[in-house]
């Protein structure tokens, strides 16, 4: 029997093979440079579709990859099954419990809008159009991270379809199936904690329950300086972050802006360094807090202001159109301005790839794991430094080598990597470096226990299938 026909009898969503109408649209993702060419693509509409698709894949020995928005696609893929979850996008806020229930395809912009009327905010990152599940399970470094921790720290429950086709409801302390599994399989919440930061290779997450925080407004935005001021801005930023209160979460970015109408006129075609801030204290206190940064020198733009949390996506203004890119990341024990300046210089004007260099200040609540812990690694890191380079599939390898060379000045302070900022062809060593050795061994042991045939570990040890 034709594979497409056989599976389409079991699911409500579309089932497509190469050459079918809608196949290309169904496999496309935000990271457009990495082509997905599965043998079958299933557009799941609900958890029952996911269960049926997983069982079918297991019966036919087909590896499974999962894609919601495609922001974090790890590599070009051929063969197997691509399970699309973008149709599963329900969002429901409980304002009393301060939680939100999301399905696998929900985007952060939906959650921000649903929580705002209650004066609540989610642990979203800079790109509101990205998917909730992949971001959260990878750790999730959000706009309020130093005050409230990683997004993974806010997870209350996970709905997971494992390789046996069972739908399981996991919490921090127990596991109780919604259907037919034995409720004592994870009595200590070990699988739940592995998913929160371990992200992939355990199954297909069909829904999350996530905590919300009472933040109706914040003081935030960005300060933009000419790129030639990078050394001075870095020096000031290091000093500024030495005793920054936890209510302030900030990052620094250096890039050459394209000369296009979508970019503010003052920044078009220029090498720019920006400091971005989200501060949950009073606006007047925020004004005093940023005075040392404003004193660095003339600014190309100053967009700091008091705003409702619903307008927080304007702080970073991440691009919303799909494009080809690859990225690498290094977690740092300390900030050496000279080394970071050299890193940024290699990606600045005249670089072989258009690149965005981004430095995040860590610490605060990020250094404190939730009760019971989870899989997020390297909580003692002080900064996260990333480079994202625009490159299509043909130049992916060149871009990765460029990024490796750019990281060389950082070696004395490197302590690991952050999973969410690894894009494109990611090696097993890169993924392993996101965790302490003991955590990695536990993750691999659980993957083997729940997926002994490697149904979801489609890139071997990288665990790159998006849970």
């Amino acid at each position: 029997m034709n594979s497409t026909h056989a599976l389409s009898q079991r699911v409500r969503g579309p089932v497509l093979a190469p050459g079918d109408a809608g196949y290309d649209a169904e496999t496309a993702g935000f990271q457009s440079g990495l082509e997905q060419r599965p043998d079958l693509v299933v557009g799941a509409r609900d958890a029952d579709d996911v269960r049926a698709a997983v069982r079918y894949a297991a019966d036919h020995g087909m590896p499974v990859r999962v894609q919601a928005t495609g922001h974090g696609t790890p590599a070009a893929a051929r063969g197997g099954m691509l399970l699309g979850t973008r149709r599963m996008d329900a969002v429901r806020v409980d304002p009393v419990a301060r939680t939100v229930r999301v399905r696998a395809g929900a985007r952060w912009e939906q959650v921000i809008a649903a929580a705002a009327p209650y004066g609540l905010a989610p642990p979203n990152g800079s790109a509101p159009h990205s998917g909730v599940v992949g971001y959260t399970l990878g750790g999730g470094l959000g706009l309020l991270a130093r005050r409230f921790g990683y997004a993974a720290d806010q997870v209350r429950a996970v709905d997971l379809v494992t390789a046996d086709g069972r739908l399981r409801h996991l919490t921090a302390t127990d596991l109780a199936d919604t259907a037919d599994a034995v409720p004592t399989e994870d009595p200590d919440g070990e699988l739940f904690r592995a998913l929160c930061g371990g992200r992939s290779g355990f199954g297909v997450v069909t829904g999350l329950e996530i905590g919300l925080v009472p933040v109706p407004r914040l003081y935030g935005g960005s300060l933009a300086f000419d790129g030639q001021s990078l050394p001075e801005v870095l020096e000031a930023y290091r000093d500024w972050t030495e005793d920054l209160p936890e209510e302030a979460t900030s990052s620094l970015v250096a890039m050459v802006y394209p000369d296009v109408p979508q970019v503010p006129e003052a920044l078009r075609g220029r090498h720019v360094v920006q400091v971005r801030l989200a501060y949950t204290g009073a606006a007047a206190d925020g004004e005093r807090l940023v005075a040392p940064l404003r004193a660095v020198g003339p600014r190309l733009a100053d967009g700091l202001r008091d705003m409702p949390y619903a307008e927080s996506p304007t702080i970073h203004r991440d691009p919303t159109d799909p494009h080809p890119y690859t990225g690498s990341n290094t977690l740092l024990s300390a900030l050496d301005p000279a080394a970071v300046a050299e890193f940024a210089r290699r990606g600045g004007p005249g670089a072989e790839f258009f690149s965005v260099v981004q430095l995040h200040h860590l610490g605060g609540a990020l250094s404190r794991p939730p009760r019971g812990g989870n899989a997020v690694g390297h909580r003692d890191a002080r900064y996260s430094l990333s480079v994202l380079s625009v490159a299509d599939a043909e130049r992916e390898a060149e871009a990765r080598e460029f990024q490796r060379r750019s990281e060389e000045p950082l070696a004395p302070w490197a302590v690991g990597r952050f999973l969410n900022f690894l894009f494109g062809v990611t090696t097993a060593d890169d993924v392993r470096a996101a965790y302490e050795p003991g955590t990695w061994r536990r993750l691999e042991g659980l993957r083997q226990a729940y997926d002994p045939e490697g149904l979801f570990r489609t890139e071997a040890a990288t665990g790159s299938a998006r849970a």
Side-chain angles (χ1 to χ4, degrees):
M1 180 181 290
N2 178 274
S3 294
T4 304
H5 176 75
L7 185 54
S8 65
Q9 304 304 303
R10 308 183 192 181
V11 301
R12 295 173 57 227
V15 179
L16 304 169
D20 289 345
Y23 175 90
D24 290 341
E26 198 69 35
T27 58
F30 186 82
Q31 195 169 353
S32 62
L34 299 175
E35 186 181 46
Q36 308 290 334
R37 300 298 295 178
D39 295 327
L40 284 179
V41 55
V42 180
R45 293 188 179 277
D46 53 30
D48 287 338
D49 276 5
V50 173
R51 296 179 69 194
V54 168
R55 284 174 170 165
Y56 183 91
D59 289 345
H60 291 79
M62 302 178 72
V64 177
R65 294 173 176 85
V66 185
Q67 177 170 289
T69 64
H71 277 71
T73 304
R78 294 189 176 275
M81 176 187 291
L82 181 68
L83 187 50
T85 62
R86 60 184 173 84
R87 293 171 178 81
M88 300 170 58
D89 63 352
V91 171
R92 186 176 73 252
V93 170
D94 183 337
V96 177
R98 292 181 179 173
T99 60
V100 60
R101 289 280 305 176
V102 301
R103 292 305 177 196
R107 299 171 183 250
W108 281 118
E109 58 196 359
Q110 298 172 261
V111 183
I112 294 169
Y118 306 105
L120 300 173
N124 61 283
S126 61
H129 49 285
S130 64
V132 174
V133 169
Y135 162 92
T136 300
L137 298 183
L141 184 59
L143 300 182
L144 308 177
R146 281 177 38 81
R147 176 66 180 86
F148 297 105
Y150 290 101
D153 300 343
Q154 298 293 335
V155 176
R156 304 289 183 265
V158 181
D159 294 327
L160 177 74
V161 174
T162 44
D164 55 8
R166 291 177 173 178
L167 175 61
R168 311 168 188 271
H169 182 71
L170 293 82
T171 67
T173 57
D174 65 347
L175 178 151
D177 273 348
T178 58
D180 56 357
V182 180
T184 57
E185 287 181 281
D186 188 33
D188 298 320
E190 190 175 18
L191 182 57
F192 169 86
R193 290 190 293 272
L195 282 161
C196 297
R199 189 176 66 185
S200 307
F202 306 98
V204 182
V205 170
T206 62
L208 294 177
E209 181 179 316
I210 303 171
L212 302 172
V213 295
V215 178
R217 44 119 340 250
L218 55 76
Y219 173 84
S222 68
L223 299 173
F225 303 85
D226 187 273
Q228 292 185 352
S229 302
L230 179 61
E232 292 82 7
V233 176
L234 274 169
E235 191 82 43
Y237 186 73
R238 182 192 60 180
D239 294 344
W240 185 65
T241 55
E242 280 296 313
D243 58 357
L244 204 61
E246 292 187 8
E247 290 78 11
T249 301
S250 66
S251 63
L252 181 148
V253 64
M255 63 181 291
V256 178
Y257 274 92
D259 189 3
V260 295
Q262 295 91 327
V263 173
E265 187 172 356
L267 308 181
R268 291 178 195 168
R270 301 187 66 158
H271 186 213
V272 177
V273 55
Q274 288 179 282
V275 177
R276 296 160 169 176
L277 171 68
Y279 175 64
T280 57
D285 293 335
E287 284 285 309
R288 288 189 289 272
L289 189 70
V290 299
L293 296 177
R294 284 186 168 136
V296 171
R299 296 172 296 284
L300 301 177
D302 187 334
L304 291 171
R305 63 186 177 88
D306 194 66
M307 65 178 75
Y309 190 83
E311 295 180 12
S312 62
T314 64
I315 295 174
H316 286 248
R317 299 186 184 276
D318 281 7
T320 57
D321 294 331
H323 56 282
Y325 58 93
T326 183
S328 185
N329 162 267
T330 303
L331 295 174
L332 304 173
S333 60
L335 178 58
D336 181 85
V340 175
E342 174 61 16
F343 178 89
R345 186 196 65 77
R346 296 185 184 194
E352 53 202 287
F353 290 92
F354 172 79
S355 298
V356 179
V357 174
Q358 195 159 216
L359 177 71
H360 286 84
H361 180 215
L362 306 179
L366 293 166
S367 64
R368 301 188 293 271
R371 186 175 64 180
N374 58 25
V376 175
H378 304 299
R379 289 181 179 268
D380 56 344
R382 297 288 307 280
Y383 298 89
S384 167
L385 188 61
S386 305
V387 57
L388 186 148
S389 304
V390 174
D392 58 20
E394 293 182 357
R395 301 197 68 194
E396 165 83 17
E398 293 178 60
R400 297 297 291 180
E401 178 57 29
F402 161 74
Q403 291 165 3
R404 297 290 185 193
R405 293 197 309 271
S406 297
E407 290 175 344
E408 290 172 356
L410 307 172
W413 301 275
V415 297
R417 298 190 184 276
F418 182 57
L419 200 60
N420 279 150
F421 294 152
L422 298 176
F423 302 115
V425 179
T426 304
T427 69
D429 287 343
D430 286 333
V431 176
R432 192 178 296 113
Y435 306 97
E436 286 80 9
T439 300
W440 178 255
R441 288 192 294 271
R442 288 193 295 274
L443 294 177
E444 286 295 90
L446 284 166
R447 290 183 178 114
Q448 180 62 32
Y450 283 92
D451 182 19
E453 302 302 319
L455 190 69
F456 303 109
R457 283 172 285 164
T458 54
E459 256 70 45
T462 66
S464 63
R466 292 302 188 250

